[in-house]
Each structure stands twice: as structure tokens, then as C-alpha cells.
Amino acid sequence: MADSRGIGMTSQRARNRLVEQLRSMGINDEAVLEIMRTTPRHLFVDEALASRAYENTALPIGYGQTISQPYIVAAMTQALYATGTCDKVLEIGAGCGYQSAILAHLANRVFAIERIEALANRLRTRLHELRISNVRVRHGDGCRGWPTNGPFDGILVAAAPVGVPEQLFDQLAPGGRLIIPIGRAGFQDLRLYTQNNGGIDEEILEQVSFVPL
């Protein structure tokens, strides 16, 4: 069983410092902050990088992918849950599973898609070790969503297309929220789309940098 407590630079003190930094950057949802405080990010990166796990920075996880900056994880999670808890959430671009673990604390069911099979397998293993049982993982193309398990109260996309795949709008439940980075490298916006009486409302949250979808 992996040790989720951590020592040294992965200790609770290091996590507390990170949370205070996130608070100073505008993350004010106490439930999200507490989940960021208690989720062992050091277990989702290579052991050689564990001492940097609670720095507010993205880190490589292999295969040309990264674990997202903690601020971005917190900001996307906060935006997704601004209207309260969700029953079903779809996560696209699950990577190493850190965001999946965060979402698992706030949703009844999480459906996570990862296109790189080795990462999907690693994600399953890590969630099992952490006894997180409400995340279902699939290896595949996230652009199509997961229609057999929709509609979803929330959809979180952790990789950037140049435009929103229409299938994702189709899989939003009434009042559902889609958080997604849009644009080419160097010119990406994090956007929030909300299903509203059959229409879609759009809000640009901030500039970001993600790997392509």
C-alpha cells in the first residue's frame, strides 16, 4: 500500500503551504482547498519528482504528458462545482489520475478517459491503491466523450482542442457544466460552458497552457 502521508517535502506542512498559496491566488471554495490539502499528489508523480509534488507547477509524467499545476486543478474543480455537488462527472485526459482523485471526493461517480494506455493502466493501479472506488477508467479517444454513461452533470477536459467537440455538448445534463481549454499552444483560454434551457452559455475564465487533445 502506498504511503499517502508523505515525509519531508511531501509532508502535511508542504501541503498546507500549497493550499495557502492557492487561497492567495483566488481559490476560495473550502471543500476544494481541503481536498487539495489531503490528496497525496506525490503518489501521482515519479519518485524522483516527489520532493516537488507540492510546488505549484506542472510536472512531467512521461509520454509527453504532464500532471497539471495544482492551481489549475483547483480552479477547474472550483468552477465545475460552483453550483454544488455532481452525481456524474466525465473527465477527459485523465493522465496520471491526480485530477480523477480530486473529482472522486466531490462526485458520486467519475468516468475518466485517457488515450495513452500505459497511463490509463497506471491510473487504475493508483486509484486502487488509494481505495478510490467510484472512478471508472477507460482507455480511448476522449473527443467522443462517453455517451453510454451520459448525460453528465459536469465534464472536465484536461487537454486542449482547437474547438469544443460537439459530442460533449450533447452529453451535458440540463444545468450541466463543461470546463475545457480551447486553442492552439500559446493561445489557449479556459472556458466554462453551461447547459441552460436547451442553450449553451459560454464564459472565458483565464489564459492557460495545456497539451493538445
Side-chain angles (χ1 to χ4, degrees):
M1 179 64 65
D3 187 352
S4 63
R5 294 168 297 176
I7 58 174
M9 294 301 291
T10 67
S11 67
Q12 197 60 56
R13 183 179 298 176
R15 302 184 206 189
N16 292 345
R17 283 197 298 267
L18 173 62
V19 165
E20 291 311 308
Q21 185 177 4
L22 297 179
R23 196 189 303 275
S24 72
M25 295 174 73
I27 305 301
N28 54 25
D29 186 309
E30 291 299 327
V32 171
L33 288 170
E34 185 58 25
I35 293 166
M36 298 292 292
R37 187 194 310 275
T38 56
T39 301
R41 190 174 186 247
H42 64 281
L43 297 183
F44 293 91
V45 299
D46 289 339
E47 191 172 348
L49 293 171
S51 64
R52 300 186 59 197
Y54 299 100
E55 296 176 9
N56 188 29
T57 187
L59 294 170
I61 57 172
Y63 308 95
Q65 307 299 300
T66 60
I67 182 174
S68 293
Q69 176 190 11
Y71 167 74
I72 291 297
V73 171
M76 293 178 75
T77 304
Q78 179 170 274
L80 193 70
Y81 289 96
T83 57
T85 57
C86 297
D87 178 31
K88 290 195 295 184
V89 169
L90 173 64
E91 180 194 11
I92 297 171
C96 62
Y98 176 63
Q99 177 77 76
S100 311
I102 299 289
L103 294 173
H105 290 284
L106 290 163
N108 292 327
R109 290 173 288 174
V110 178
F111 297 86
I113 303 176
E114 171 52 48
R115 68 178 178 85
I116 297 172
E117 187 172 14
L119 287 177
N121 291 336
R122 189 189 302 174
L123 160 56
R124 290 189 187 98
T125 299
R126 183 58 74 214
L127 293 177
H128 176 73
E129 290 175 345
L130 292 172
R131 298 177 180 169
I132 295 173
S133 60
N134 62 331
V135 179
R136 184 174 168 188
V137 180
R138 191 181 86 182
H139 165 235
D141 181 2
C143 290
R144 300 183 180 90
W146 202 332
T148 55
N149 286 296
F152 300 98
D153 304 297
I155 299 176
L156 186 150
V157 184
V162 294
V164 182
E166 284 297 321
Q167 296 98 317
L168 300 187
F169 287 139
D170 295 339
Q171 292 170 44
L172 271 183
R177 299 161 75 84
L178 165 63
I179 310 288
I180 184 170
I182 295 292
R184 293 178 173 83
F187 302 93
Q188 296 173 359
D189 294 317
L190 186 62
R191 303 189 188 189
L192 166 63
Y193 295 92
T194 306
Q195 167 71 265
N196 186 11
N197 295 321
I200 299 290
D201 297 334
E202 178 188 44
E203 179 183 352
I204 295 178
L205 301 179
E206 58 187 289
Q207 290 188 316
V208 290
S209 178
F210 279 82
V211 296
L213 182 63

